[in-house]
Amino acid sequence: MPDRGGGPTGPRIRVGRPSRRVRTLLMTLGVLAVLGMAFTMFAGFWTDWLWYRSVHYSSVFTTTLWTKIGLFFVFGLLMALAVGLNIWLAHRLRPPLSAMSMEQQSLDRYRMGIAPYKRWLLLGITALVGLIAGASAAGQWRTWLMWVNGVPFHQKDPQFHLDVSFYAFDLPWYRFLLGFGFAATILALIAAALTHYLYGGLRITSPGARATAAATGHLSVLLGVFVALKAVAYWLDRYGLAVKSSDFKATDNWTGLRYVDANAYLPAKTILFCIAVICALLFFATLWRRTWQLPVIGFGLMVLSAILIGGLYPAIVQKFQVQPNEQAKEAPYVQKNLKATREAYGIDGTKVSDYSGTSKTSDKTKLRDDVDSTASIRILDPNIVSPTFQQLQQIRNYYAFPTNLDVDRYTKDGKVQDTVIGLRELNLNGIPKNNWINDHFRYTHGYGVVAAKGTAADANGQPVFTESDLPSRGDLGTYEQQVYYGEKTTTYSIVGGPQKEIDYSDDSGEKTTSYKGKSGVNLANPINRAAYAVAFSEPQILYSGAIGEGSRILYNRTPKERVEAVAPWLTIDGDAYPAVVDGRIQWIVDAYTTTNGYPYASRTTLGDTTADSLTATNNSRAVVAQQNQVNYIRNSVKATVDAYTGQVKLYQWDTQDPVLKTWMKAFPGTVEPKGAISKSLLSHLRYPQDLFKVQRELLTRYHVTNPTTFLTGSEVWQVPDDPTNKSGNAVPPYYLSMKMPDQSSQAFSLTTTFTPNGRDNLSAFMSVDAQADSSDYGRIRILKLPTSTTVDGPKQVQSQFNSEQDIAESIKLLKGGDSDIEYGNLLTVPLDGGLLYVEPVYVRGGGLKYPLLRKVLVSYGDKTAFEDTLDQALNKVFGAESSTTPPPDQGTTPPPTSSNPTVQQALDDAQKAFDAGQTALKKGDWKAYGEAQKDLEDALKRAEEAQAKADKTAGGSGNGKSGSSPSPSGSPSPSGGSGSG
């Protein structure tokens, strides 16, 4: 037989070639296709670069890009060399002659077929595996950057006494290298074996030896490398036990060593490491001994040892040592898990206090007064009233508010008040006519802030707006009102060019504007226009006359999207919220640093632990990176996005977080120091909801510090389902200003409740100080109720509301006709040893498309009230009126009289309007009710004007001042609101 590398001989057969014209056409089409694909790839790269440069975070783009390129080429080249070198070596070690057998005759045909293309085939195979390996390695850019820039935690794990940074930053990189080594070795082994088989070095059915000496030595070395890597894997597995997750009766997400790990798996891994090293040496020795006998025996021993030592022995230890005395055996390891988990999630400073759950005060007036000093009870639910904001403050159809509004704090007359706030954002679905010019050039932005008191509603159940109208005006002063970046702004806009934009409309008509900011990417450059035309699949960008000098394209316009883009190493909170800061609207975004490698800390999945009844109905409120499993989290960064310029700023919030320090080292200059946060911005920062939800989920088990109690599970809590709807999802946490029993004054707080596992009564109340400028910011307090007595939980309180006959009949009346009831947030407030529950009730019915506050439910102890206002409900529950606020009218006294006939006539009209309104309310006739309320307001205004005129005529006795005019019985004064604050 000829040499295995010989090619076919004999005459060549000429195949008909296509004509020159056809060849030219095909070549032209091929060149155009390649150029098209190249420009498409260039367009994506170029537009990304332009965007990062426009937001002044080009270093993030370049660092990430060069890291990916470096990993791609280094590991792609290593993989290509590993496979290509072994194919070349196997071909070089081929035997000069092959055995005479049917097997070799069949292979001769393949050898002769590929002989002319051997070099190209080798290049193709190595290029393919190199590309795949390089692409895979490029995806590990975060792992590489964390390893090369990692800083110490200055905390050591309790088992191996290594710094936590080894597990968080080093071990993931070592595991990647190990995985890459396994992949390279396996692919090289397969490629070498196939080459040896193709060229006769390995034989299956041929007579004689099954492998040549050269093939035996070559493959033995590769198998030795594989076993050596397995030895390294066994050694790393020892440390991996500290971050290994397993099912354990104490928790489903247990992480860290247990008794069986420390006393069976750990020594087993060490023994297996030694066996694997010996086995690898036996494979390498085949280079000299040229026999498989000892390596095969060694490999078999390693497999048997893995089964017996690594599997059977730990099972025996678990069965016969641990299970008979589990609590005593596991307690030391549970203690380590408790400590590490509480530290990793920032709940180690949680203060748990006993709370009786029942009030001991007999002074009803004092108890009623304590309500006002204990909490500023928010009756305006930001998750209910968005349609009301929409109906009353939308002004134009091309504006819209988010589905869920936000709660913030603003100061007026030196007093901080909780405020429900939303931006009037652009709504393209509401523009008069959709076309490319309108969608992207004319209607480009929203306009203004709308805000309302969180603790009040007016006589009609509508919000008491503190900032409203278009342009917006009110308590927030002067600020830049144009909203080019917002939660609902998901499409691109082209601004600043020859095409004027619609700014807003008023009674005098449409006002136009042209964007003056420096945000976005300049489209004056034809290359930029071409790139965006390709990237956005919008050819009109290339040739439209609406684009000219000064035109800029704005995109990536939602706050979370922008922060995630400039800081891809952060996990973004689900709720970005707006605030007016120093004359500008700023979106505030909370961001987290996380790791999955904190030893002994139990893991959680962010998407699961942050889910509640709000995220179930509004995906935009869900945390970014839903599937991320973490066992360490810090709210280390506070970010802002300017609603006009889109400018993104990242501020260091947690100055001790080693994960953030690592990323700041990898991306220098991207995060500003904490001291750069202005005082005015600091007053609007708050404790983030998603972090709070993660912590409360962990605290359902990790509020205990005793390992025996933890193991028994007797103190396990659960987050109750939201009783105000039937979604079956967890109740969301609520912001409100309140004080806990150990606090001297109210603080802006985030609160939640716990119930026993599988039961509905209350187990505990949890609060965290959410006020960023407070010295107690982030301090978690838990009031633990006694297990010997039963205190109603949220679901039971809601059931009590619904089951009381008087309340049920009132609700039935409110539901009359086609009206619907919507329950607002059920707020819980600790008060004098007991729990005060407050829930606003909204009605949406008749011709109304939006909910109005009609009733307030209050419960304290065994008392329940369902009244028109919060003050009335509190007075009824406590059986006393507040000594600090004037008593509301109860509707039982006769209407006031006046000696002035004009005033008396107006008061009579007001009484008639009030009576008509009450009759309409009972019938559920909301149209008639609205008309009656308007008549009532007109009558009261006439009475006030007439009284003022009479007082002036009489010499100005002062009885006619605004807000002091008499009102009909039971009717709230329009100048004073409903009194429900």
Side-chain angles (χ1 to χ4, degrees), residues 58-79:
S58 55
S59 63
V60 174
F61 178 81
T62 54
T63 300
T64 305
L65 178 65
W66 286 116
T67 303
K68 290 179 178 179
I69 290 175
L71 291 172
F72 177 85
F73 279 105
V74 169
F75 286 94
L77 185 61
L78 286 175
M79 182 65 77

Side-chain angles (χ1 to χ4, degrees), residues 389-701:
F389 273 51
Q390 185 83 0
Q391 184 70 24
L392 301 178
Q393 289 296 320
Q394 179 188 25
I395 311 298
R396 294 290 183 268
N397 287 337
Y398 47 83
Y399 294 131
F401 292 92
T403 304
N404 303 102
L405 303 179
D406 290 289
V407 179
D408 200 354
R409 295 144 295 147
Y410 288 89
T411 302
K412 183 179 181 182
D413 300 329
K415 183 179 179 181
V416 178
Q417 63 183 20
D418 292 356
T419 302
V420 175
I421 186 172
L423 299 191
R424 194 183 284 112
E425 295 189 44
L426 179 66
N427 174 29
L428 288 178
N429 294 327
I431 67 176
K433 184 179 181 180
N434 287 101
N435 55 55
W436 191 64
I437 293 296
N438 278 347
D439 291 352
H440 300 290
F441 291 82
R442 293 276 289 164
Y443 297 90
T444 59
H445 60 277
Y447 207 94
V449 173
V450 176
K453 291 182 179 179
T455 56
D458 69 9
N460 296 322
Q462 298 176 355
V464 178
F465 291 108
T466 58
E467 185 79 9
S468 59
D469 300 333
L470 185 67
S472 294
R473 58 182 64 87
D475 296 345
L476 302 185
T478 303
Y479 58 94
E480 175 58 68
Q481 298 202 16
Q482 294 167 319
V483 181
Y484 282 88
Y485 295 87
E487 290 181 301
K488 300 179 73 68
T489 315
T490 56
T491 188
Y492 71 89
S493 289
I494 299 175
V495 298
Q499 179 67 58
K500 290 292 184 180
E501 312 161 43
I502 293 178
D503 202 19
Y504 64 91
S505 301
D506 58 16
D507 295 337
S508 61
E510 287 184 349
K511 307 292 184 182
T512 60
T513 188
S514 186
Y515 185 66
K516 300 296 190 300
K518 299 300 181 183
S519 182
V521 178
N522 196 326
L523 292 181
N525 187 324
I527 296 178
N528 291 357
R529 293 177 65 170
Y532 279 101
V534 172
F536 288 179
S537 301
E538 188 56 74
Q540 293 185 82
I541 294 177
L542 185 60
Y543 55 78
S544 174
I547 301 175
E549 189 64 32
S551 291
R552 311 181 73 85
I553 184 167
L554 313 180
Y555 61 105
N556 289 351
R557 297 169 71 183
T558 66
K560 290 191 293 185
E561 189 177 31
R562 292 180 78 78
V563 175
E564 186 182 17
V566 302
W569 34 273
L570 291 173
T571 299
I572 311 302
D573 188 89
D575 183 25
Y577 60 97
V580 176
V581 181
D582 297 328
R584 307 196 71 84
I585 301 173
Q586 298 282 357
W587 287 98
I588 301 175
V589 183
D590 286 287
Y592 309 110
T593 48
T594 63
T595 181
N596 196 27
Y598 197 98
Y600 271 101
S602 292
R603 288 183 171 86
T604 187
T605 303
L606 291 181
D608 295 337
T609 53
T610 59
D612 58 27
S613 60
L614 295 183
T615 61
T617 56
N618 185 4
N619 289 332
S620 65
R621 293 295 289 268
V623 66
V624 179
Q626 287 278 296
Q627 301 306 315
N628 274 19
Q629 268 210 335
V630 304
N631 68 351
Y632 171 94
I633 185 170
R634 290 289 185 273
N635 176 214
S636 52
V637 171
K638 301 284 189 181
T640 62
V641 178
D642 192 292
Y644 181 75
T645 66
Q647 181 184 31
V648 182
K649 287 188 176 181
L650 307 175
Y651 297 100
Q652 182 182 16
W653 183 247
D654 189 333
T655 57
Q656 304 301 317
D657 178 28
V659 181
L660 178 60
K661 290 179 181 178
T662 296
W663 286 119
M664 290 174 67
K665 187 177 174 183
F667 296 96
T670 56
V671 181
E672 298 186 33
K674 187 175 184 177
I677 300 176
S678 66
K679 187 176 180 180
S680 53
L681 174 60
L682 185 65
S683 66
H684 292 284
L685 301 182
R686 68 189 191 189
Y687 201 82
Q689 291 189 59
D690 284 338
L691 176 60
F692 184 77
K693 287 188 280 188
V694 169
Q695 291 173 326
R696 75 172 179 179
E697 183 64 33
L698 268 296
L699 283 168
T700 58
R701 290 182 179 272

Side-chain angles (χ1 to χ4, degrees), residues 341-351 634 694-696 698-699 702-703 766 780:
T341 301
R342 289 167 63 86
E343 289 174 350
Y345 290 95
I347 57 177
D348 50 323
T350 300
K351 180 182 178 182
R634 290 289 185 273
V694 169
Q695 291 173 326
R696 75 172 179 179
L698 268 296
L699 283 168
Y702 286 91
H703 63 278
M766 173 180 170
I780 299 174

Side-chain angles (χ1 to χ4, degrees), residues 381-393:
D381 187 346
N383 306 308
I384 295 289
V385 298
S386 179
T388 307
F389 273 51
Q390 185 83 0
Q391 184 70 24
L392 301 178
Q393 289 296 320

Side-chain angles (χ1 to χ4, degrees), residues 12-34:
R12 296 185 178 181
I13 301 174
R14 294 183 62 87
V15 180
R17 302 176 61 188
S19 66
R20 183 174 181 180
R21 179 178 297 177
V22 172
R23 291 201 310 272
T24 303
L25 179 61
L26 292 174
M27 185 176 295
T28 302
L29 291 175
V31 170
L32 290 176
V34 170

